[in-house]
Structures are given as structure tokens and as C-alpha cells.
Amino acid sequence: MYTQAMDIPDESGKKLAVVAGQSEQEAAFEARIDADGRIEPQDWMPDAYRKTLVRQISQHAHSEVVGMLPEGNWISRAPSLKRKAILIAKVQDEGGHGLYLYSAAETLGTSRDEMIDGLLSGRAKYSSIFNYPTLNWADVGVIGWLVDGAAIMNQIPLCRCSYGPYSRAMIRVCKEESFHQRQGYEALLVMMKGTEAQREMVQDAVNRYWWKCLAMFGPPDADSAHSAQGMRWGIKRISNDDLRQKFIDATVPQAKVLGVTLPDPDLKWNEARGHYDYGQIDWQEFWNTVEGNGPCNKERLATRVKAHKDGQWVRDAAMAHARKQQERAQKEAA
Amino acid sequence: MSKAPVEYLLHLADNAVVLGQRDAEWCGHGPILEEDLALANVSLDLIGQARLLYQLAAARMGNGATEDALAYFRDDKDFLNYTLVELPNHGALVGYAAADRDYATTIVRNFLYSALMVLVWDALQKSPDSDLAAIAAKSLKEARYHLHHAADWLVKFGDGTEESHARAQAALDHLFRYTEEFWTPSAVEDAAIASGAAVDVRTLRAAWDAIVADTLAEATLKRPEVRGYIPEGKHGRHSEHLSYLLGEMQGLARAHPGATW
Ligand SMILES: [Fe+2]
Ligand SMILES: [Fe+2]
């Protein structure tokens, strides 16, 4: 799953200089973009395009990897073996998404180590949705339904993104995210048909996650820093507010079928607009969390840092063994 | 047609579910992302094996038994798994102590266990109990992959850095004694052998020793000497660690008896 974060600048995104005056290469690039063609790794591209993509794809990859933690929190306690297996497979898929995305970003000339260093040092962002705690078992189903659901809304347009490797990764990722969403929703349906305590768990999880999911689409269009350039380059195709509205319109009927209440008294159908109206998102809280001061930011990042640090000797061993093997092979050949 | 006794199926299933639970502890915490995925695969295979075995046991028990009732509503003294698989993913400590996960411990444990299970499943795929034979045939393919994965890393550790060599040797020194439990049949195994549907583990010892000797030689690691206490997890007498593991695994399910998930 993923991220609101394309619009959230981090350190590397602060100084994107666009060089004035158009070269022949630049004209070819622009023409390709205008024709809705794909840019491939070996093609010339402007520096700012490359940097924006590395930032966006690596943020997305980090989100997949950090996103393993909140759901991973329930693997050991899953209440049936079937649900345990589904959850392990889901968290594993998210790790797999991280891998494809790191590979896609590496085609732009930035190594996975550099990207991971960005995450662990706190320079790079990841989706803020993963900075909230998973407090009951229904959180797992709600994350599948709403968080993977919001991720799909965000990512479907990226399947047509101008950068070939990213668009191809998104096609594969989106298929799996849709599967996660259906599985999450199905788990909730079963719980809603179960005991009173199970229904309370689902409602509690929806109450905690609904507004956070709406914020995943990023700040309102009026306040969004990078959208215009992103649209021009075909790496952002639909605005934050339009995606958010699409998500709400799709989700309200699903909530009805499920039998949960979405925690927004202002949520109602607007016949004239042909959309649901909704209440005010707490952007202050959103920015607090994006800036590192949400409920679990410290825990999430510290956990990634610890796994990386504790794993150093394992990675060193693999390198040392590979080197020794190579030396032995060279000796034999000599 | 001879059928394996239910308790024997539970012994096999309990091994798989308990080790599946331990291996899944790495999900999100692996030394490199590829290993998070690899350990999740191993864990998924083991939980899949446990499910098939519990389902078969439940079908034979009747009386409304289910896979989840067997996994979630039996107490630690009823679990018939090897002590080896319930130990934490770190070195020797009392049940209520805590320590960092150690990948060498995990890899050595998976190696010692899967080296046995490739032999057990290979024998059981020829069992006259055709339901068990089918599960064994599927599990054999998985166990081969688990053995390959663990042996590969064990060699990397042994032949890697000074630190990785020392960690792998320490994990072997800690865990090796727990394999002694493999070789003395329990009453459950005796009954299963008598049924004609099970394998006598004593007959697998030489082949297991050979797998271990080969890999340890390649890894330049030493097989530890063991003597004294022989663990008895498969008799239902466990280490201090199993009740913590089951407390965590079973807690939510037991808080909602009768609920469907
Ligand atoms: Fe994902
Ligand atoms: Fe997902």
C-alpha cells in the first residue's frame, strides 16, 4: 500500500531548479510527454524530472516497507490460522512492492542503499497513515479496505505515468492492492455478522482510520506545492481533491453494505454536485504527523533503524562470503 | 487401510504452527528486505502444513473439532511439538527474559528442523495413510526449500566474517542439544509406528547426520558435543517459552470463544 506523499516536499525536493532555455533533447522529451509516450531509463530527461521521480518512487517504496509494521503488529495474534496466513501473505506483498519500487527508482541512478539511508536518517518521507497505531484486530481489515483502497485510487492513475518503469511497477502493485482491499473488506463482513464485540471492533477501527485515510490524498489542491509540474510531467494525473472525492463516493455505499457508520456528521449526498459532501479534515493534525510528531512516527522509524542496524552483520557476512568465493574461484582459474 | 493416530498428526501440526509463529516474528524486522519475504514464505508454508494436518485431525476426531479449536484452544501441556521449535529467536535465556532477535539462531534452528523434515516428509509420502501421504508430498517440496534457504545462510555465516562465524557457532552450541529429542520415540510416535502409517525417526538419524555434517563442513562450523538432559516437548513437557508463545498466539481467539473470523 502507499502514500499521500507525492506532494510533500522533503530535503531532496526543496531545490528543484528548472534550467532555462530549451535544448534539442529537452524538446524531444517534452514532445514525448505531450504525446503521452513513456520515458525509459536510457532516455534523456531533465534533472528536475529525475529528482522528482526518485523522491516520489522512493517515498512510495519506503511507505510499503514502513507499512509492514502496523499490520505486522497483529500477525502473532491473528485469531484464526486462515487469517494469520492471509495477513502474513499481505504484509509480505507490501514488502514485495517495496522491492519493485526500489528497483524502479534505481533505474534513475540512485542506489537502494542511498534511498534507505534517506529513510533511516529521517530525510525522506513515507506515508503518514502508517504513523497511527493498530489497536484492535479489525484494524487489519480496515487498513485493507480503506488504506489499500485509498492507495488504489492514488495509484491507478500512476499506471499511466510517463516514466516507464514506474508505470509498469504500478500496474503490478495495483493488482495486488485490489486483492488486499477485497480481502480486508471480506474479513470485516465476517466480523460484522459475528458477535457484538466483533462489530464494536470494526466500528472502532473505522472511527480511528476514516479521517486519516481522507488525508492520505494530500493537502487540498489550493495548498498543494508540486501538483502543477507533476501534472505537466504525467507523474501526477488527477488532483488530490478529485481523488479524495472519488474515494469517498466509492466508499460510502460499501460502508452501508458493511453496516458501519462513517464518523462524519456532514457526510451526505449532494444531488446538484452528484457527489457526497463531507466535513473538514483536521490538517493541523495531518501536518503534525507528517512533520514527525504523530503518535507512532518515532516507533516506526526507530524500528526500521534497529532492523537495519541489527542486520548489519548478516549483510556483511553475505558480502564477505561472496568475496571469498570469488577469490577461491580466481585462484582455481589461475 | 492403516491410518495415523490423531495425536501423531497433532505432533506434526504443532511443530509446524509453532515454528511458523516464530519465523513470522521476523516480518518487518529482517536484516534485509529479501529476508523478510523469505522468512514470511517459510512461515506461510509451515502454517499451511499445520492447517492441513489440523484439518485432517479434526475430521478424524469429529465432535465439532476444527483446525482453529486445535490450534487455539489446546493448552501448552497438550502441544506435542519439539522443544527446538518453540525457543525464542535468540540465545538461551529464561522464559520471561527478553533479548534482540538473532538471525543466526533462526537460521540454525530452521536448518536443524528442516534437515529432519525433508527426511520425515519423504518417508511419510509413502505412508499407507493416503491423506497423510498427500500432505507429506506437498510439505516435502516446501521443506526442501526451507533447508536450502537455511543451509545457504549457514554457509554464508560460517564462511563470512569473524562475527558471523562466531554467532553461527554460538547458535549451534545453544540449539544442538534440542535435536536429541528427535531420536527417542514418544508414546505417540510408538503408537503411530505400530499403526504402520508413520515413520520411525530412529531410521532417519544417519541421513540427518550426513546432511548436517555436509553443511557444517562447508560452513567450517563444529558440531557440538551434547550430553545430559534430553528435551521432552513432544511428550507435552515443554520449555518455559511455549506458554508465552501460545499466550500471545491464542489470546485474542480465546477472548472471543465461539466467534467466527
Ligand atoms: Fe503495497
Ligand atoms: Fe496492499
Side-chain angles (χ1 to χ4, degrees), chain B residues 17-171:
Chain B
V17 82
V18 170
L19 186 54
Q21 181 83 356
R22 282 296 183 212
D23 280 336
E25 290 174 11
W26 283 99
C27 203
H29 310 280
I32 183 164
L33 193 46
E34 284 81 349
E35 286 305 292
D36 286 58
L37 306 192
L39 264 277
N41 258 333
V42 174
S43 177
L44 277 171
D45 287 344
L46 292 169
I47 288 163
Q49 292 170 11
R51 291 190 65 196
L52 293 172
L53 290 159
Y54 284 136
Q55 285 163 12
L56 180 58
R60 290 182 181 177
M61 290 164 84
N63 266 331
T66 64
E67 60 172 281
D68 286 331
L70 292 172
Y72 286 90
F73 290 86
R74 282 155 65 237
D75 293 338
D76 50 342
K77 66 175 174 38
D78 303 320
F79 269 67
L80 302 175
N81 58 279
Y82 297 123
T83 306
L84 175 72
V85 297
E86 76 204 30
L87 300 173
N89 286 309
H90 57 64
L93 284 173
V94 299
Y96 66 107
D100 287 344
R101 295 178 194 89
D102 170 42
Y103 210 55
T105 303
T106 299
I107 289 296
V108 167
R109 185 229 311 272
N110 283 359
F111 170 71
L112 298 172
Y113 175 74
S114 53
L116 175 71
M117 294 315 289
V118 292
L119 304 170
V120 169
W121 295 128
D122 185 41
L124 290 179
Q125 68 175 342
K126 296 158 215 150
S127 168
D129 181 338
S130 58
D131 297 322
L132 177 57
I135 295 172
K138 176 179 181 291
S139 303
L140 175 60
K141 292 193 196 102
E142 295 165 349
R144 281 190 182 131
Y145 160 75
H146 304 167
L147 177 61
H148 177 81
H149 174 260
D152 192 52
W153 275 103
L154 197 53
V155 170
K156 284 181 179 142
F157 292 165
D159 184 49
T161 63
E162 225 171 279
E163 182 182 5
S164 67
H165 183 94
R167 281 176 178 265
Q169 188 62 55

Side-chain angles (χ1 to χ4, degrees), chain A residues 167-178:
Chain A
S167 101
R168 290 188 287 273
M170 281 300 94
I171 291 169
R172 190 165 166 192
V173 167
C174 277
K175 277 190 195 140
E176 293 184 1
E177 305 296 18
S178 317

Side-chain angles (χ1 to χ4, degrees), chain A residues 1-2 64 93-94 97 148 173 177 180:
Chain A
M1 83 205 38
Y2 148 85
E64 300 284 357
D93 283 349
E94 307 303 358
H97 298 168
D148 285 67
V173 167
E177 305 296 18
H180 297 161

